[in-house]
Amino acid sequence: MSPVLSKPESGPLPQRLLARYLLLLRLYPVLTKSVSSSLLSALGSLVAQIIEKRQKKGGLDLRGPLRFAIYGFLFTGPLSHYFYLYLEQLIPSDVPFAVVRRLLLDRLVVAPAFLALFFFVMNLLEGKGASAFVKRMKSGYWAALKMNWKMWTPVQFINLYYVPMQFQVLFGNLVALLWFAYLASIKK
């Protein structure tokens, strides 16, 4: 066991938090990524509401962050965990242009499907029917996908090229804070 993991109770707070996170990541990788996805997704939704509140009068609706937390816990965390593992097996690092191939697969196949899943799950969590889902897809999907490609392509390049695999979901979740704030603002 590394020194960071063996003494999580000593040192400055950031070091202790990192040590605790690394320990949980090692012991419960999917659960740890699901919880962090849940918390950061909810925070992104809350940030969107705070930004909107400054523009308009009104209180905070905690149902929005709750929906984002559910989505992050049930979908973003687990699916991202297994996606990065599968990506490593499907396109090993020693394959020529591995990062470019991974990036293309992510951007052209996974991103459109994951965004459609987001719209579908949010529609269900809001208790809306199929017609509302179709309307939302027609009105917001293409704009959201183009924004996804603009924002996430450089992020995913950095994530796939520089970030160690065990931290790729966390890195994505931190950037997703802004992304979920954007999605929360356009879904209205």
Side-chain angles (χ1 to χ4, degrees):
M1 193 180 317
S2 75
V4 172
L5 292 177
S6 63
K7 292 190 176 188
E9 303 305 323
S10 63
L13 182 63
Q15 184 180 358
R16 291 192 318 255
L17 290 174
L18 178 61
R20 195 62 75 178
Y21 180 80
L22 290 173
L23 179 63
L24 291 171
L25 195 58
R26 188 172 52 85
L27 296 174
Y28 312 102
V30 178
L31 181 60
T32 302
K33 292 172 186 178
S34 295
V35 169
S36 62
S37 292
S38 177
L39 293 173
L40 291 170
S41 298
L43 186 58
S45 175
L46 196 58
V47 166
Q49 283 191 46
I50 291 168
I51 291 169
E52 282 182 22
K53 186 178 176 192
R54 287 184 181 166
Q55 297 168 352
K56 306 176 198 173
K57 299 274 185 191
L60 294 177
D61 175 18
L62 296 181
R63 292 174 296 187
L66 179 61
R67 286 190 292 269
F68 275 79
I70 291 168
Y71 181 78
F73 185 80
L74 296 177
F75 296 97
T76 305
L79 291 177
S80 296
H81 169 80
Y82 290 111
F83 168 69
Y84 289 117
L85 286 177
Y86 179 69
L87 199 56
E88 182 68 30
Q89 293 172 357
L90 183 66
I91 307 169
S93 299
D94 58 350
V95 170
F97 303 104
V99 171
V100 173
R101 290 177 181 194
R102 290 176 183 175
L103 190 61
L104 287 172
L105 178 65
D106 175 65
R107 304 289 66 227
L108 299 176
V109 177
V110 175
F114 208 72
L115 187 60
L117 176 68
F118 171 82
F119 276 63
F120 178 74
V121 170
M122 284 298 158
N123 194 67
L124 287 177
L125 292 174
E126 291 168 358
K128 296 181 179 174
S131 62
F133 172 67
V134 170
K135 183 179 177 186
R136 183 177 284 173
M137 289 294 286
K138 285 181 181 178
S139 67
Y141 179 80
W142 181 239
L145 183 60
K146 288 189 295 187
M147 180 59 86
N148 179 296
W149 285 337
K150 288 177 189 174
M151 180 182 152
W152 281 99
T153 300
V155 169
Q156 280 298 80
F157 176 79
I158 292 166
N159 201 10
L160 294 169
Y161 194 73
Y162 295 107
V163 178
M165 191 167 64
Q166 70 182 24
F167 296 119
Q168 287 176 337
V169 175
L170 179 62
F171 178 78
N173 285 334
L174 291 170
V175 175
L177 230 165
L178 301 172
W179 175 244
F180 280 128
Y182 166 75
L183 286 178
S185 68
I186 68 151
K187 76 174 187 59
K188 292 181 167 55

